[in-house]
Amino acid sequence: MKTVTVLGSTGSIGCSTVDLLEQARDQYRVRALVGGKNASRLAEQAKNLNAEVAVLADETAFDELRTLLAGTSIQVACGRQAVIDAAALPADWTMAAITGAAGLEPTLAAVKNGNSVALANKEALVCAGDVMLRAVKQAGATLLPVDSEHNAVYQSLADRQYDQVEKIILTASGGPFRNATLAEMEAATPAQALKHPTWSMGAKISIDSATMFNKGLEVIEAARIFNLTEDRIDVLVHPQSVVHGMVQYTDGSLIAQMGSADMRIPIAHTLAWPQRMPTTSSRLDLAAYATLEFSAPDEQRFPALRLAREALRVGGAAPAILSAANEVAVEAFLNEQIGFLDIARVVEKVMRQLGAPAADTLEAVLHWDAEARQKASTFIPAAVA
């Protein structure tokens, strides 16, 4: 049986992963499940999968988790170090789905095992790309991209002819404001921004999709995963979310991966890799769509792509600064402290102030992450004013 650990099991990606594991109980043994603060959900998952260890990042939930799992053989722990320790447990496959900078240390701990790590945490490569890739090489680990777009490119590169790739193309749904005017976007509410037209996701990633910061982070991530320069990564708006990613080869061939908008498909690909596993995901009916649309993104209405490409080009801590400032700005928007378009404005202000200092260690990355958060918080009142 393959041993597995799920970091971020109580989140959207984590729950989809748990669903797949429950459908194939005889093939996987769960070493650890790590959640954020939802003790009841984590306890239920741990019981259903007979996990060895259940850990919550939120220390205040320890008593509740311990009570819920009393009488079982499941070990219980809480807190930052407990999360890292759980991630370090030897496992054949680890899902790294803890969002934000909080996922950096646990993901790095999992990588050091030298096994397969399914990467759903963008920040691992966006903020600490050099550090993470160096650790992957040293440990002999295998990174398997979970983001639907990167996973699509990975599948389209099945013959691994990297030297014959001209460029890759990531698709974006365009989010809820694909056809909105700047005036409409300026007045957008959190409720409107959270209404993604095709995907069911958590609040942070839903807002990132609406601003297209999600796609900007994916451009940076793709550069790290596939060792490509920024000019060889294109983005197309594709509202049907049927084609998830494409590879353009030097002979003119364009290979695309298609599927229904269900994250269980890319997760299953990484879980069973290099084989495939059955899923209950709905099958794609192309005749029902009839027409598939593609268009270039509008960087005036969605400046996030421009900012992300700039951060990728200048390098250093710039991607970490962009990501951290965006986290703070998104939270402020969800709390109705700033407007929708203020998210990108706050991020750009922070980037201009902090520049692109060196960040070749995890300590340096975390330092600039903290600096960017502090700086972004100072711009929140200004954005409101």
Side-chain angles (χ1 to χ4, degrees):
M1 295 179 72
K2 182 185 285 188
T3 54
V4 302
T5 286
V6 183
L7 306 177
S9 71
T10 56
S12 176
I13 295 294
C15 287
S16 293
T17 305
V18 167
D19 180 59
L20 290 169
L21 292 171
E22 288 177 341
Q23 293 174 39
R25 296 172 188 270
D26 60 333
Q27 298 174 44
Y28 302 98
R29 180 165 62 86
V30 179
R31 295 229 60 193
L33 294 178
V34 176
K37 57 185 178 182
N38 192 331
S40 60
R41 179 176 293 174
L42 179 64
E44 181 182 5
Q45 292 175 338
K47 288 178 182 176
N48 287 344
L49 292 172
N50 194 27
E52 294 177 28
V53 180
V55 178
L56 280 177
D58 185 356
E59 295 185 2
T60 64
F62 179 71
D63 288 340
E64 181 184 0
L65 183 64
R66 183 172 55 184
T67 300
L68 289 169
L69 291 177
T72 72
S73 61
I74 301 168
Q75 298 177 48
V76 176
C78 289
R80 171 181 163 274
Q81 189 56 51
V83 169
I84 297 170
D85 291 343
L89 290 172
D92 297 321
W93 181 90
T94 299
M95 166 58 75
I98 298 175
T99 59
L104 290 179
E105 290 177 288
T107 302
L108 192 59
V111 163
K112 290 179 179 178
N113 280 321
N115 296 317
S116 294
V117 175
L119 195 63
N121 170 282
K122 286 182 173 60
E123 290 75 15
L125 290 182
V126 170
C127 303
D130 292 340
V131 176
M132 201 65 61
L133 292 176
R134 189 165 62 241
V136 167
K137 185 176 181 179
Q138 289 173 348
T142 300
L143 277 188
L144 301 170
V146 173
D147 268 349
S148 59
E149 296 79 7
H150 301 105
N151 185 265
V153 170
Y154 193 81
Q155 292 194 50
S156 299
L157 283 165
D159 56 12
R160 301 292 174 259
Q161 295 178 327
Y162 288 93
D163 59 327
Q164 296 169 45
V165 172
E166 194 168 277
K167 66 178 179 179
I168 65 173
I169 302 165
L170 307 178
T171 59
S173 69
F177 305 131
R178 179 170 61 91
N179 296 317
T181 65
L182 277 170
E184 289 170 334
M185 293 167 74
E186 193 78 67
T189 65
Q192 291 171 324
L194 287 167
K195 289 182 179 178
H196 196 280
T198 53
W199 291 96
S200 175
M201 305 177 293
K204 165 65 164 56
I205 195 169
S206 294
I207 300 302
D208 280 351
S209 179
T211 60
M212 289 194 76
F213 261 109
N214 190 45
K215 206 55 50 180
L217 295 174
E218 286 175 6
V219 168
I220 299 172
E221 191 179 3
R224 312 283 198 227
I225 295 172
F226 303 111
N227 193 27
L228 295 171
T229 51
E230 174 264 332
D231 58 305
R232 294 173 65 195
I233 306 170
D234 281 357
V235 173
L236 285 177
V237 175
H238 170 50
Q240 291 80 22
S241 296
V242 168
V243 177
H244 303 298
M246 297 172 268
V247 177
Q248 177 81 61
Y249 287 95
T250 53
D251 64 359
S253 297
L254 187 66
I255 308 296
Q257 188 271 341
M258 307 165 75
S260 58
D262 186 339
M263 283 305 299
R264 289 177 298 176
I265 295 175
I267 294 169
H269 176 261
T270 67
L271 180 58
W273 183 88
Q275 307 300 320
R276 299 230 177 211
M277 66 184 291
T279 74
T280 57
S281 300
S282 60
R283 276 28 182 180
L284 191 61
D285 181 1
L286 287 175
Y289 285 93
T291 301
L292 299 180
E293 305 168 63
F294 300 91
S295 62
D298 181 351
E299 293 192 4
Q300 181 182 2
R301 289 185 302 128
F302 300 99
L305 276 175
R306 170 180 58 82
L307 294 173
R309 288 187 181 277
E310 178 184 322
L312 177 57
R313 286 193 298 269
V314 300
I321 289 167
L322 172 136
S323 178
N326 177 58
E327 279 193 44
V328 172
V330 167
E331 185 177 1
F333 169 67
L334 287 171
N335 291 332
E336 299 185 351
Q337 295 174 284
I338 62 174
F340 180 75
L341 294 181
D342 288 327
I343 296 173
R345 292 172 184 144
V346 168
V347 173
E348 185 160 17
K349 286 180 180 179
V350 175
M351 289 177 66
R352 297 290 172 261
Q353 292 233 352
L354 297 183
D360 54 1
T361 66
L362 185 59
E363 291 73 23
V365 169
L366 294 174
H367 167 77
W368 288 111
D369 175 272
E371 287 289 311
R373 290 172 191 276
Q374 191 279 328
K375 184 66 68 175
S377 66
T378 66
F379 290 134
I380 301 304
V384 174

